[in-house]
Amino acid sequence: MACQLPLLALLLTAASATAMQCSTSALPHNARVDCWPEIVGASESACHGRGCCWRDDSETVNDDSEPFCFYPADYPTYRLVGSRDSPAGGAELALNFRRDSGPSAWPPSRQIDQVSLSVSAHSDRVARIQIADRPDTSRWRVPLPLFGGDETGAAAQQFSVRTSSSAGERFFVQVTRNSDGWPLFDTGSSDGAFGPLLFADQFIQLSIGLSAQVIYGLGEHLGPFAKPLNQWKRFVLWNRDAEPNPDRNLYGSHNFLLAVGGGGRAFGIFLLNSNAQEVMLQPRLGQRATVTYRTIGGILDFFVFVGPTPKDVIQQYHELLGPPMMPPLWSLGYHLCRFGFGTLDRLKFIYERNVKINIPIDVMWSDADYMDGFKDWTVGAEKYSGFDTFIKQIHSQHRSVVVIVDPGIKNNSTGYLAYDLGLKMDIWMRTADNKSYIVGAVWPGDVLWPDFTHPNATLYWQRSSNEFLFKYPVDGLWIDMNEPSSFYQGSDTGCPKGNPLDFPPYVPHIIGYNILYQGTVCPSARQYLGSHYDLHNLYSYFEAKATWQVLRTRPDGQKDNRQRQFVLSRSTFPGIQRFAFHWTGDNNADWYNLRYSLSTILSFNLYGIVNTGTDVCGFNSATTEELCIRWTQLGAFYPFMRNHNSLGLPDQDPAAFSPIAQQIMRYHISLRYAFLPYMYTEFYRATANGSTVARSLMEEFPNDEETWLIDDQFMFGPALMICPVTVEGAVDRQVYFPPSARWFDVHAQYFAEVTPKGLQTVPAPLENIPLYIRGGHVIPMQDPGNDTYHQKLLQPFLLIVAPDADGLASGSLFWDRNGVDDLSLGNYQLMEFSASKGSLSSRLVHQFPIGVQMQLFGLQVLGVATKPANVIVNGRKRQFMYSNGWLSVSNLVGVDLKSPLRASWN
Ligand SMILES: *[C@@H]1O[C@H](CO)[C@@H](O)[C@H](O)[C@H]1NC(C)=O
Ligand SMILES: *[C@@H]1O[C@H](CO)[C@@H](O)[C@H](O)[C@H]1NC(C)=O
Ligand SMILES: *[C@@H]1O[C@H](CO)[C@@H](O)[C@H](O)[C@H]1NC(C)=O
Ligand SMILES: *[C@@H]1O[C@H](CO)[C@@H](O)[C@H](O)[C@H]1NC(C)=O
Ligand SMILES: *[C@@H]1O[C@H](CO)[C@@H](O)[C@H](O)[C@H]1NC(C)=O
Ligand SMILES: *[C@@H]1O[C@H](CO)[C@@H](O)[C@H](O)[C@H]1NC(C)=O
């Protein structure tokens, strides 16, 4: 009988809690924050044991994802200790809080009772909100350099902050935008919160009310680009080698969201935290949706970007992380790769057969085929003998070679430098007890893991690759399997039982049944900067940085350390764009993956990793001729275009297909080369000014709500709209033409202007990808060459002037000396074009004698209402053609774009 008393007491407490704080009037459905985020174990009594409310059986729910167990409105919270002095605007605020007694979702031993809140201005347009333990017990903080900080005075600050201010007041923080009073970051007020702040050793959670209609970001995931705030949805971030499928955590973690609301007003939120984490979206309730951030380590370190346009938010975020690398010019060309060339002879054969049918190519790749037993920095003696000669031959044709390297180093002590040196320099990741090295398994068999956070790791990476790079002077490195991905679960011996880092009390909903170490290294593994638990999502960041460093200081004498480098990484973390580009991993050759490749590429452009592409024609499973044609058409407008295919599958290089398919592929790859000057300039803008390259229509037309959910057509820069066919057998498709712009059809005779606008069905025969030029822009083009080197050297330019409704157009052109120099050297020309009714002129913004011709061959003006009597270019009357609004001037002999241009037609 004695044991019944506590039980009764518990039930009574729970019952009164239900009555008082759990009702729908206190907490409408959409405002309920999940108190049982685990996959299993929810029950009414367990829920009450956490002091939470259990959903009434009689309640009707709108969505199966609604939680059964949720926090009551007055769940214990943190309260202000002391009171806050009235703060001078702009100054950093630092406040201390202590938690009420009462129930806790976590064992009290893990709960952190005192926390601090600090709010500061990273710049006048970026607020930083940090919530940490107090006193500071040196919890994990992400060692990421941040940029764009600016101690501007309060006068320039474009946001205001409200927080708890009197002793005992509950925790809250609100950031609003000054220009319109818009709430950007809002945990609630002194009257109540959107959900409780929970702060425990391995479980931190904060809910905010998000005033927006749609958000973008929270990757890496496969699926739609836009996330309308009308659903319960969980986004899990934990870097993982997994074939892209919806609702999986994938290779990279980017906890950034771009929020857009009425009138296209935008703001952004970035959580700088590297632990396993998840973001839970709930459907909107009136103006706001509850969004819950949950992480199992570190601190909460939020950055809030005031916008107010989507472009502003993107620029503010990119500025914080540092600019993306400017890609070498050659890397904008066509890349041909596959796993399973098997031998160098086969690789050469595939290369040559595509050269023979005049496919423009810049880069040949080798997957792990080239290695000796899959060991890094080795070359298979028989199958790839003569690889050095081949690289020289490719270089003599001014083309490039990129090879793969994986981080795991084979445990092979028979004279394998990368292994011996790693042991000697002691740079491997260690087991939790520091007694031995963590052993993983990847393609070569058992491997040890370089700890790229170790101060000597870059030196190790250089010394182990020196000989290889000297003999095989490849132009770029492709870093794969760097989540890191292991064929063991944790290690060859699993992970130490009972270690809370390997078996945390809560694991976000990752794939693999909540086993944090599935397919990777034990979180308890030791790295120089901390535990793998904290550093896992950063593994690729540090590897990319070291790899970039290796290429900058390579020994082959041909390169100096002031050249742009090419590193391609599968796994990513914010900031990696300073060292690497990205492809979207092991996709499948199907229409779904073609369709949604766009969302991923648009998302990575938001994250600042603008140079991203997807394996064209699909990696896993056999492609079809039609799919490969459609994918090549779309891939021609990916920032990064590489055809890549997996082991044992039929060839999918252009020459593998029928003559008709070859012709269509050649045309579209050439079309990419024709737009090279425009694309290169957009990359320059992204690097110099913080912008996307591939971008959504929403970004260009934020106040046109019709654009918000569109992710099957997109823009390259501001001026080109690409509308791929993503449905098998389709010969037409619907295209949305934002009515506020003029659109000219690239494939129509005389670049006919599109009318009417809005949603239209357009023809999309297999031969062509629907492609439109937006009025208001001047697009620099070039006759396509067989590679970027010869094109740059030999081909003349063409300018397309597409005026807007007022007859105005502008554009720019970035062109440089050799396509690889660091921008900081200034070896480039930058010119701006501006056109008004009947005239076009250029202005040099940055001048450098780049030593190459920039011959202007032709000028085409679209939308010219009447046939002009005269066309004058640089003071000379020129021959021209005119038809249906299209004016074309060619044979512009002697016009050098490096000098100011003056053209008129009237
Ligand atoms: C490498 O493998 C050998 C043979 O299996 C083993 O004895 C040795 O301990 C391994 N070395 C490391 C550093 O794990
Ligand atoms: C180490 O490499 C050599 C040469 O490639 C190979 O013969 C040997 O089997 C390897 N040993 C192990 C333990 O993998
Ligand atoms: C871990 O072990 C290595 C090698 O024995 C030793 O050099 C290092 O100091 C140890 N680290 C710690 C934190 O004990
Ligand atoms: C790095 O290498 C240097 C030179 O060998 C050595 O003195 C130093 O201890 C190493 N650093 C670490 C952290 O192991
Ligand atoms: C840089 O960004 C600002 C703000 O978005 C914009 O006004 C400006 O035109 C951009 N400059 C260039 C060179 O793209
Ligand atoms: C590419 O074109 C240039 C110029 O016509 C030519 O010199 C070069 O040989 C071509 N490259 C190949 C690999 O055919």
Side-chain angles (χ1 to χ4, degrees):
M1 292 302 282
C3 70
Q4 279 185 1
L5 262 173
L7 184 64
L8 191 64
L10 185 69
L11 285 174
L12 282 172
T13 324
S16 69
T18 308
M20 291 181 63
Q21 306 127 351
C22 302
S23 66
T24 314
S25 62
L27 271 174
H29 289 243
N30 290 356
R32 293 175 174 182
V33 173
D34 197 350
C35 183
W36 202 277
E38 295 95 325
I39 291 173
V40 295
S43 71
E44 186 165 357
S45 60
C47 176
H48 289 160
R50 286 184 180 179
C52 287
C53 310
W54 187 251
R55 193 169 85 199
D56 201 322
D57 283 343
S58 63
E59 283 187 59
T60 48
V61 295
N62 306 319
D63 189 315
D64 288 344
S65 310
E66 270 193 35
F68 279 94
C69 179
F70 54 97
Y71 289 98
D74 59 350
Y75 193 76
T77 185
Y78 289 84
R79 295 187 183 276
L80 188 63
V81 177
S83 63
R84 175 187 137 185
D85 299 332
S86 95
E92 176 169 335
L93 262 173
L95 303 175
N96 297 322
F97 294 82
R98 180 187 290 279
R99 194 174 189 274
D100 290 343
S101 58
S104 156
W106 299 99
S109 62
R110 292 183 166 275
Q111 182 158 297
I112 292 166
D113 288 327
Q114 296 187 68
V115 300
S116 66
L117 164 71
S118 104
V119 187
S120 58
H122 179 73
S123 73
D124 56 353
R125 292 177 295 174
V126 182
R128 185 175 196 177
I129 301 165
Q130 287 172 296
I131 303 164
D133 58 332
R134 183 183 164 269
D136 185 344
T137 55
S138 303
R139 289 180 64 79
W140 172 248
R141 282 161 204 249
V142 185
L144 192 71
L146 299 171
F147 303 88
D150 175 13
E151 311 283 312
T152 46
Q157 197 172 298
Q158 295 178 20
F159 57 87
S160 306
V161 178
R162 284 189 62 226
T163 64
S164 334
S165 59
S166 52
E169 200 173 11
R170 63 181 302 144
F171 171 90
F172 78 92
V173 51
Q174 296 174 324
V175 177
T176 50
R177 183 163 55 208
N178 289 346
S179 60
D180 55 4
W182 196 263
L184 309 180
F185 188 92
D186 186 0
T187 67
S189 66
S190 52
D191 299 331
F194 287 95
L197 167 65
L198 305 171
F199 210 110
D201 186 23
Q202 287 184 289
F203 188 96
I204 302 175
Q205 176 173 314
L206 179 68
S207 300
I208 61 171
L210 198 71
S211 299
Q213 280 161 259
V214 56
I215 65 166
Y216 306 85
L218 303 179
E220 177 177 7
H221 298 99
L222 186 66
F225 177 54
K227 285 96 193 172
L229 295 169
N230 60 2
Q231 56 191 329
W232 295 83
K233 198 151 174 74
R234 193 188 298 245
F235 294 89
V236 182
L237 308 180
W238 176 248
N239 291 359
R240 177 66 202 255
D241 172 10
E243 282 170 27
N245 273 314
D247 299 322
R248 286 179 156 188
N249 53 304
L250 296 175
Y251 314 101
S253 293
H254 299 269
N255 199 337
F256 167 73
L257 67 81
L258 166 65
V260 177
R265 280 174 301 182
F267 62 94
I269 298 175
F270 169 50
L271 174 59
L272 176 57
N273 179 291
S274 61
N275 290 91
Q277 57 198 275
E278 57 193 5
V279 181
M280 186 77 216
L281 305 186
Q282 298 179 203
R284 272 200 297 158
L285 184 66
Q287 293 302 306
R288 289 179 196 183
T290 300
V291 173
T292 298
Y293 288 89
R294 196 180 287 132
T295 176
I296 62 172
I299 63 165
L300 294 176
D301 193 356
F302 289 101
F303 292 82
V304 180
F305 308 92
V306 304
T309 68
K311 277 186 202 285
D312 293 334
V313 173
I314 290 163
Q315 192 179 40
Q316 289 152 15
Y317 182 50
H318 292 193
E319 193 175 18
L320 178 77
L321 299 176
M325 284 199 289
M326 177 76 188
L329 179 67
W330 57 264
S331 69
L332 267 59
Y334 182 59
H335 299 244
L336 198 50
C337 185
R338 78 159 295 159
F339 187 19
F341 281 133
T343 63
L344 180 62
D345 283 346
R346 183 74 190 165
L347 183 154
K348 278 187 188 161
F349 169 76
I350 299 291
Y351 169 64
E352 274 153 19
R353 77 177 183 183
N354 286 282
V355 168
K356 204 160 172 185
I357 61 163
N358 295 317
I359 301 292
I361 299 180
D362 262 82
V363 194
M364 283 306 292
W365 289 56
S366 180
D367 203 315
D369 302 296
Y370 77 92
M371 294 175 176
D372 170 24
F374 296 108
K375 296 202 293 275
D376 283 353
W377 318 123
T378 69
V379 172
E382 274 163 37
K383 50 185 189 151
Y384 266 69
S385 82
F387 194 36
D388 45 350
T389 316
F390 174 73
I391 293 170
K392 286 192 188 95
Q393 179 205 337
I394 287 271
H395 284 172
S396 73
Q397 296 174 354
H398 302 279
R399 290 176 173 169
S400 305
V401 177
V402 175
V403 295
I404 201 167
V405 268
D406 294 341
I409 298 298
K410 185 177 171 69
N411 173 356
N412 184 317
S413 55
T414 45
Y416 175 34
L417 181 69
Y419 173 77
D420 295 341
L421 202 57
L423 271 186
K424 201 167 122 202
M425 295 178 75
D426 196 15
I427 49 77
W428 310 126
M429 275 203 235
R430 290 172 168 273
T431 51
D433 61 11
N434 195 36
K435 285 196 180 128
S436 55
Y437 299 122
I438 283 271
V439 177
V442 198
W443 306 113
D446 278 7
V447 299
L448 300 174
W449 302 103
D451 168 13
F452 288 103
T453 72
H454 190 286
N456 288 338
T458 300
L459 186 62
Y460 159 74
W461 206 225
Q462 281 164 338
R463 286 174 59 189
S464 51
S465 61
N466 254 358
E467 239 174 74
F468 172 86
L469 290 174
F470 192 77
K471 183 151 187 218
Y472 305 98
V474 294
D475 302 273
L477 292 171
W478 169 22
I479 51 176
D480 192 15
M481 305 296 281
N482 54 351
E483 291 69 30
S485 173
S486 179
F487 304 155
Y488 288 142
Q489 316 308 328
S491 78
D492 58 342
T493 54
C495 300
K497 295 279 168 292
N499 189 313
L501 298 182
D502 299 316
F503 304 93
Y506 177 75
V507 179
H509 287 204
I510 55 173
I511 45 175
Y513 309 104
N514 282 2
I515 301 168
L516 210 46
Y517 52 83
Q518 198 189 63
T520 191
V521 173
C522 295
S524 64
R526 299 171 73 106
Q527 297 190 236
Y528 185 82
L529 286 184
S531 64
H532 191 67
Y533 183 81
D534 295 324
L535 284 159
H536 173 81
N537 282 345
L538 288 160
Y539 192 82
S540 55
Y541 173 88
F542 284 103
E543 187 201 15
K545 190 175 171 195
T547 306
W548 179 81
Q549 208 67 53
V550 161
L551 288 175
R552 291 280 277 198
T553 53
R554 53 195 298 162
D556 59 18
Q558 297 166 17
K559 313 266 173 175
D560 71 40
N561 63 5
R562 292 185 303 172
Q563 291 191 350
R564 310 193 302 247
Q565 302 300 337
F566 185 89
V567 177
L568 187 78
S569 181
R570 186 170 73 184
S571 179
T572 58
F573 191 78
I576 200 172
Q577 60 265 37
R578 293 169 50 228
F579 311 110
F581 309 119
H582 177 58
W583 97 104
T584 67
D586 299 348
N587 66 359
N588 201 46
D590 60 39
W591 293 88
Y592 183 91
N593 273 272
L594 162 64
R595 162 80 173 77
Y596 286 103
S597 67
L598 260 182
S599 301
T600 309
I601 288 170
L602 295 176
S603 297
F604 272 91
N605 270 262
L606 293 186
Y607 308 147
I609 305 167
V610 299
N611 195 13
T612 292
T614 290
D615 284 345
V616 170
C617 302
F619 177 73
N620 282 315
S621 76
T623 196
T624 65
E625 181 160 300
E626 185 192 355
L627 179 63
C628 194
I629 287 174
R630 290 307 197 184
W631 216 323
T632 304
Q633 292 174 337
L634 168 57
F637 297 94
Y638 284 161
F640 166 63
M641 184 190 196
R642 184 185 69 166
N643 180 328
H644 182 41
N645 188 6
S646 191
L647 195 63
L649 294 171
D651 286 332
Q652 62 182 32
D653 55 298
F657 296 102
S658 72
I660 297 281
Q662 291 172 12
Q663 190 188 325
I664 301 171
M665 291 179 187
R666 178 168 47 242
Y667 170 73
H668 284 86
I669 298 168
S670 298
L671 200 54
R672 175 184 181 86
Y673 280 72
F675 282 109
L676 185 72
Y678 171 74
M679 291 180 164
Y680 200 35
T681 304
E682 287 308 313
F683 275 106
Y684 167 75
R685 278 185 200 258
T687 301
N689 206 30
S691 65
T692 56
V693 169
R695 64 182 66 148
S696 64
L697 270 69
M698 176 280 299
E699 189 184 325
E700 286 294 325
F701 303 95
N703 46 28
D704 179 348
E705 294 193 16
E706 299 294 321
T707 63
W708 289 359
L709 302 188
I710 294 177
D711 57 13
D712 66 346
Q713 61 185 89
F714 72 111
M715 310 284 299
F716 195 107
L720 265 190
M721 181 165 75
I722 301 104
C723 310
V725 173
T726 61
V727 177
E728 185 167 19
V731 290
D732 58 24
R733 61 157 285 165
Q734 288 212 305
V735 169
Y736 180 71
F737 296 95
S740 62
R742 289 177 88 180
W743 300 98
F744 300 93
D745 185 344
V746 171
H747 298 303
Q749 202 179 15
Y750 309 123
F751 290 87
E753 184 169 354
V754 174
T755 53
K757 291 181 279 193
L759 196 60
Q760 302 296 334
T761 299
V762 304
L766 191 60
E767 292 72 42
N768 278 329
I769 187 169
L771 182 62
Y772 305 90
I773 292 176
R774 176 185 178 189
H777 296 275
V778 178
I779 300 192
M781 298 182 65
Q782 223 177 3
D783 275 354
N786 54 2
D787 54 54
T788 55
Y789 175 86
H790 289 100
Q791 178 173 326
K792 181 168 187 287
L793 201 63
L794 304 172
Q795 302 293 36
F797 287 86
L798 166 71
L799 292 178
I800 298 203
V801 179
D804 65 12
D806 299 323
L808 305 178
S810 61
S812 48
L813 171 59
F814 169 92
W815 210 239
D816 60 353
R817 191 178 65 135
N818 57 11
V820 293
D821 284 346
D822 270 359
L823 294 183
S824 60
L825 296 174
N827 298 341
Y828 61 86
Q829 292 254 342
L830 180 64
M831 54 211 85
E832 279 176 3
F833 303 103
S834 108
S836 56
K837 277 195 180 105
S839 73
L840 168 72
S841 62
S842 78
R843 183 173 74 88
L844 276 173
V845 181
H846 183 93
Q847 197 165 8
F848 182 84
I850 59 176
V852 290
Q853 284 203 38
M854 293 185 71
Q855 189 66 43
L856 181 66
F857 178 78
L859 177 64
Q860 299 192 7
V861 189
L862 317 183
V864 181
T866 53
K867 181 174 176 176
N870 292 304
V871 173
I872 296 170
V873 179
N874 284 2
R876 274 179 52 191
K877 242 174 108 167
R878 311 280 173 163
Q879 303 265 304
F880 65 90
M881 286 192 291
Y882 176 87
S883 200
N884 292 55
W886 172 73
L887 169 68
S888 171
V889 193
S890 48
N891 287 314
L892 284 171
V893 183
V895 177
D896 187 345
L897 267 184
K898 295 200 294 284
S899 318
L901 173 73
R902 295 277 172 277
S904 62
W905 52 93
N906 42 51

